Each structure stands twice: as C-alpha cells, then as structure tokens.
Amino acid sequence: MTTTYTAKDIAVLEGLEPVRKRPGMYIGGVSSAGLHHLVWEILDNAVDEAMNGYATEINVTLHADGTSVSVADNGRGIPIDKHPKTKRPALEVILTTLHAGGKFDNEAAGGHGAYKTAGGLHGVGASVVNALSKELVATVRRDGAAYEMRFKIGKPVGDLKKLGPARGSGTTIYFHPDPTIFPKTEFDPETIRERLEVTSYLHKGLKVTFDNEVNKQKHTYEHKLGLADYLNKIIATRSARPVHAAPFEYAKDNGFKIELVLQWTESTDEHIRSYVNGIPTASGGTHETGLRSGLTKAVRNYIDTHSLSPRGVTLTPDDIREGLTGVLSIFIGDPQFQGQTKDRLNNPEVQSQVDGAVRPVLEHYLNENRSIAESIVARIILAARAREASRAASDSIVRKTATTGRLNLPGKLSDCSAHGSRGSELFIVEGDSAGGSAKQGRDRTHQAILPLRGKVLNAESASLAKVLENKELADLVTALGCGAGKSCDETKLRYERVILLADADSDGHHITTLLLTFFYRHMTRLIEAGRVYIACPPLYRIDIGKQTHWAADDDDKERILKEHLKGNAKPEITRFKGLGEMMPKVLWETTLNPETRRLLRVEIADPIATDRVINDLMGKDAQPRFHFIMDRAAEALELDV
Ligand code: 1YM
C-alpha cells in the first residue's frame, strides 16, 4: 500500500491565515482540550508512520516550562526534497499549507477527518499546529544527515538548514503554542500520559515514552499483546474477577479494521472502552451499538441452540452484558463525530459492519470453547436472578410507600409541607445531633431533613437487593419515592433537590463519598438530571471586629484572614467540631438559606474517569481508599456551583 513519496505529490493549497482567524474550526476550540489537540495532531502523524510500518518508537517530551512539547518518531523522516513548482522543501510545504480533503474541512459539520493511513492524508494536521504555535522547530534525520527548519506563528524563520551528519532516520517536532491564541498554555501531564499509554495499547509492539521534564518523571509503554494487555489492566484496576480465564479476542483488517477483546467478570457493571482511529469515543456511538447488538445476538443464539435458558427467568440484553469488560478499536476512512465533546461516532454504516463482524465469530468461539461458554452463561443467569431479586426488593419499598394512599415514610424523616413542589429540598444529614440543629434551623415549608444513623453501606460492588437490606439506604430510597436501580424514575422524586449535608471534616467527606457512590451506582438518573447536591457547611467562624466570616476549609480561612485582617485587629476563630455544635440559626444562615448558602451540584464529567475514581475510592483495597478521599474528593465527581 505504501508508495514512495516525492515532493510533487503535495498540492499547494492555502495559507494558514484562516487557522489563526478561526482556530476553533480546526481544533475544536482554544480551551485546554484544543490545546491538547495540538499534541494529538503531531502524535497522530508519528503513529501513522508506525502503522505504515516505518517507525517503532515514539517519544513525547513535555518541556520544563510545561507549555511546550516535542514529539519524535524513528520513521523515514518527513521528506525534505524541493517541490518542483514552488522550489520549497516538502517539509516547509507540509508545515505551511492547509491541505484540502484533510482532517479539518469537515470539522464544522462535526467531522474529525479521515483515517489518514487509509486515505493517504499523512501529515495534514501539522500545519495547523504550526499556525497556532509561537515557535515550532522541525528536525528531520534522513539519508545520513540531520536537517532543521524553524517557524514562528506558522511562518518560516530562515531556510532549511543542514545540521550535519546523523545516524538513522526520523522526525522530531518541537512546538510552543501561541499564548495570544490559547488563554491557558499549560499542558496537563496526566492527560498526555494517559493518551500515550492508551496509544501503546492500541498499537501493539509500538514503544511509546513520555518524558515529563516538569516533574522529571519518565514513562515507557510497550505492549506486545496490545488490547489483550489493555483489558488485563482494566480488569486489574477495577478489581473485577474474570469469570473465564482467556478473553475473547478478535482482529480483522480488510479495508475495515477492527480489533476487539472481551471478558465477562463478576463486577455488576458493563465496562466497554471504544476507540475510532485511536481517538477515544467515551460516549460510544454506532460502533458500540453494533458491538452490543452483535454480541447479544451471538450469546442468545448460543443459549437458545443449546437450550440453556432457565425456566421462569427471561434474559435481557442487560443481563447478557452484565460484568462484561472490553475494548473495541476500529479504523475507518471518514469518521463523523458527534456530541458536544465530539466523542460519539455517528457513521451509520459502521453499526452493521461491527455487528456483522462480531456476531458470527463470537458465536463460533462459544461453540468451540464450551467450558468458557458455560461460565459466561452461568454469569448471565446469575445477573438475571439478581435483577429479579433487586426489582422485587425495590418494588416492595415503592409498594409500601404507595399502599393506603398515605405515604409510609421513615419515622425519622422530618418532611417539609411543600414536598413535591418547586423549591422543595431533602437534606440528608449525618447523625442525630446534626439532624436536630438542621430540623430547628430549616425552612419547614420547603426543607425536609433525613438524619442517617451509623455507617452507610459501601454500595460500590453490592447488588441493589443487598444495598436495600441496609436500613439507612432503604429509608433514603423510601423518602425519595422514585425507586432505585433500573426502575429509578426521577420524575417521581419527592423533592426538587437532594442535598448531602455532612461535617466539613474527613469523616464527613467519607460519608459524602459513600452516599455519592450509592447515588452513582443505583440512582444514576438523579445525578444525570442534576438533582443531587452537596451542601458546604463552614468549618470556621472568624470574627474580625464587628464582622463575621465563614470559612469552608483551611485555605478559605487563610484567604479570609489575608483579605480582611487589617492593622493590629485580632481575629476570633472558632472551629466547628461538627454540624451538631452549630446553633440552628447559624446553620440556617451559612448552609441552609438559599439566599446565602453555597451548593455544589454533582455532575458526572467523564463516565470512564468517574467510574475509575469511584472504583479506586470504594473498591476492595481499603488502605489507599481513605487517603484518596482526603486528596481527591473534589476530583471524584465534577462539582459545579
Ligand atoms: C513527530 C511527527 O510527522 N512523522 C512522519 C511524517 C511523514 C513521514 C514520515 C513520511 C511520509 C511519507 C513518506 C508518505 C509525513 N509525510 C508527509 C508527506 N512525526 C511525523 N514520518 N516519507 C515520510 O506518506 O509517503 C506528511 S507527514 F506529505 F510527505 F507525505
């Protein structure tokens, strides 16, 4: 498939002014995502060179300033011969002209561009990176010598320079994004590291290194087994136990390239990561839909053919996929991405391509590996039975609530008179004494209080049936009135907002995390609907003269003292030991009163990241869990005011 490139193959098309005028059209925006897009563009060119079989190594360096990056590969080196018409080196043409038919012409329509190695669109993104960089240096080694060419905001600074003799071949692109284009030019090392690690899994055998000069850490990634290694890692970090030893693996490359690994685990979730042309598709899309349907049909066929379906239990697609962990990677010619963050694949033809590829091979695999198939089917039947048990448990709670017309609410709930209406709120409060202050301090019309006694069960890996055996959580589900698990219906929620109110200390954070885990795992819809909030009670009261300030934490306290402490005034600082210690009036003023309080709305920022953080926080390993909560509580879920 590879042809030898010569300079005449490049058509001179357009200058780079449009890129600087409307950067968003080319890289999606100038936020942090746009900034990192520059790295992905150059990285993609290096990966293309590896996929074409010429490069075996890619090195990425984040320089000490944190705002400039180098990407290097050991491929052929970008051609430097002179273009016959323009008499300019190919390297210069590639870096200074916008390429037609390239990745970006369909960006406005939501497209991300072509699968470059298939479409021969090698290198189209480099000029965009050049246009948006205050400085870019391209170094090429080929034919026994090293060459360099420098640019500023996309324009050459001097000619191609021969640096001297050099061994081997390859390309290095150093660039420093233009701060007049990007409001923030600091790269996030973790974002880069993660992308590189995934890249090494998606291209088996490729050696990828990340040299972070900011913190002087080096990472090297190389995976001989590619996706199979990736799957192992995902399963290990999620501490999910596989129910069969070897994963199902599938790879095909005839125009439409697909790679897939699947393994069922004891976890109660389905966890599939998908990629299109090496780009993560966190919101799924047609390729994932095709995978799900193909897989469901294959398993169902197998179960039906061998009459394995138990009597009295119907197996749903969700049962079939419970505990399924997998990675899907496809490469296609003209991917169309959709959604606010362009992370969902929209090409309709891909669905049947994936379905059609997966279904027969998976069914064949099950028939050929009967003991694996048996373990998978047993897992599926278990999922169906657990689901029916959960449904029965959840229904019995809702039924109890609904019988007699009057609500059978938990005795310890102090309801508000206007529940169900706009502005109504349920505060979930830790402990009876805090509950007491909250009860006295609240607005009785709109604010209900549910005190929780004792520890809430860790819902991370528990089934809903198990969770509802926990009195505290069962009471909570009853008070909310909207059901839990798959039958959770946010339109039935008895309050407009559900607000978690815990002490501002580490115990309080722990309880908040446990409750969030419960909501995340069993009432996801309430979070998705933006109905779950976290209250921010103060930790300190600071009196300076006649003024009173409230500080949420130590940083806040320092900030207030710095800002308001003038002359030789002496502050009087009180640290609250807990909410129960606070006068009801003070609790109202600082935490309950909608006019003066601060609320954080709980949002799921990135489902995969959230899943991982929750798993890390709440999974089996208890020791790191606690530290994690202290350090990372704010990261676990994106909190928005
Ligand atoms: C750090 C980024 O861009 N590597 C790279 C790019 C090219 C080649 C090799 C290359 C391709 C071809 C022939 C070919 C590019 N070539 C072009 C163009 N790394 C990085 N490595 N010889 C070398 O595709 O035929 C654009 S990029 F336009 F010349 F084909």
Side-chain angles (χ1 to χ4, degrees), residues 544-545 547 549 559-571:
I544 304 173
Q547 276 194 336
H549 304 268
R559 185 186 55 75
I560 289 167
L561 290 178
K562 225 185 196 160
E563 221 168 89
H564 298 279
L565 207 52
K566 305 239 157 64
N568 48 9
K570 267 227 167 88

Side-chain angles (χ1 to χ4, degrees), residues 583-611:
M583 296 299 287
K585 198 168 148 280
V586 170
L587 192 61
W588 164 255
E589 209 175 294
T590 58
T591 313
L592 303 179
N593 182 355
E595 304 288 322
T596 50
R597 73 186 178 193
R598 209 161 67 93
L599 277 191
L600 303 174
R601 185 166 68 214
V602 178
E603 282 183 357
I604 304 170
D606 165 357
I608 290 178
T610 305
D611 213 58

Side-chain angles (χ1 to χ4, degrees), residues 3 5 42 45-46 49 71 73 76-79 94 122-123 171 173:
T3 46
Y5 162 86
I42 301 296
N45 292 338
E49 188 65 357
V71 182
D73 68 55
R76 291 166 291 178
I78 298 180
I94 288 162
H122 210 147
T171 306
I173 305 276

Side-chain angles (χ1 to χ4, degrees), residues 2-6 9-10 41-47 49 52 54 58 70-73 75-79 90 94 99 120-124 126 142 170-173:
T2 39
T3 46
T4 308
Y5 162 86
T6 55
D9 295 333
I10 300 169
E41 286 300 338
I42 301 296
L43 177 66
D44 277 358
N45 292 338
V47 170
E49 188 65 357
N52 281 336
Y54 296 103
I58 296 175
S70 293
V71 182
D73 68 55
R76 291 166 291 178
I78 298 180
I94 288 162
H99 298 62
L121 293 168
H122 210 147
V124 289
R142 53 187 287 161
T171 306
T172 302
I173 305 276

Side-chain angles (χ1 to χ4, degrees), residues 284-424:
T286 48
H287 56 326
E288 275 197 25
T289 310
L291 169 63
R292 290 202 171 83
S293 61
L295 175 148
T296 310
K297 280 183 252 174
V299 174
R300 209 186 272 291
N301 268 354
Y302 176 83
I303 291 176
D304 290 347
T305 312
H306 300 273
S307 311
L308 299 172
S309 196
R311 224 165 294 167
V313 184
T314 32
L315 305 177
T316 67
D318 281 347
D319 297 335
I320 292 176
R321 298 192 312 263
E322 189 173 297
L324 182 66
T325 309
V327 184
L328 169 67
S329 166
I330 65 168
F331 292 87
I332 58 174
D334 180 26
Q336 304 293 323
F337 292 97
Q338 220 191 13
Q340 212 170 31
T341 44
K342 299 266 179 285
D343 60 357
R344 186 167 60 246
L345 185 70
N346 197 29
N347 299 46
E349 72 284 0
V350 171
Q351 187 172 328
S352 57
Q353 280 174 317
V354 177
D355 177 308
V358 171
R359 190 168 34 81
V361 279
L362 180 58
E363 194 176 341
H364 180 74
Y365 171 85
L366 294 171
N367 280 308
E368 294 296 304
N369 298 276
R370 296 299 293 275
S371 84
I372 291 180
E374 259 172 46
S375 312
I376 293 171
V377 173
R379 174 71 190 83
I380 291 167
I381 293 170
L382 186 75
R385 294 224 157 97
R387 170 178 54 78
E388 293 192 345
S390 291
R391 158 72 53 106
S394 168
D395 283 357
S396 93
I397 286 184
V398 177
R399 215 169 22 249
K400 270 189 226 147
T401 322
T403 45
T404 72
R406 270 193 41 215
L407 298 174
N408 192 0
L409 292 165
K412 60 190 181 185
L413 171 74
S414 305
D415 215 357
C416 54
S417 50
H419 59 75
S421 70
R422 268 185 69 94
S424 64

